[in-house]
Amino acid sequence: NNDSGYSNPEVDALLDKARAVTDQTERKNLYQQAQKIIMDDLPYPLINHGTSIQATSKKIQNFLLMPDAIMRFTEVSMK
């Protein structure tokens, strides 16, 4: 997902190269270079972390609150 619409030809080239490289050390280095540029550009500053409020009951089994606030129901069931 590129919600910010971020575009940087240097980053794109590094990511394309990293996807094609099989040597894990080189791949890691390329991703780190891309990450540094992205952090310097700061295309999507995160300045707020909202509060996630979820309601449930004792009848609900295996519902876990996740840090990303995305609800996952594959393991959820009712008594």
Side-chain angles (χ1 to χ4, degrees), residues 11-79:
V11 170
D12 293 343
L14 286 166
L15 294 176
D16 288 342
K17 187 173 180 182
R19 282 190 282 268
V21 169
T22 57
D23 179 84
Q24 293 301 305
T25 302
E26 184 179 354
R27 187 177 212 181
K28 180 180 176 182
N29 183 37
L30 292 165
Y31 280 126
Q32 286 175 334
Q33 289 177 52
Q35 184 177 22
K36 182 179 183 331
I37 295 168
I38 293 167
M39 293 304 296
D40 289 342
D41 287 350
L42 197 59
Y44 197 85
L46 300 174
I47 57 173
N48 185 3
H49 295 280
T51 302
S52 178
I53 300 171
Q54 309 291 331
T56 188
S57 78
K58 291 181 181 182
K59 294 179 183 178
I60 305 296
Q61 303 288 308
N62 301 317
F63 178 72
L64 299 174
L65 294 175
M66 304 304 286
D68 61 10
I70 296 172
M71 291 185 249
R72 294 166 176 89
F73 296 105
T74 55
E75 302 296 322
V76 176
S77 62
M78 290 184 67
K79 278 188 189 180

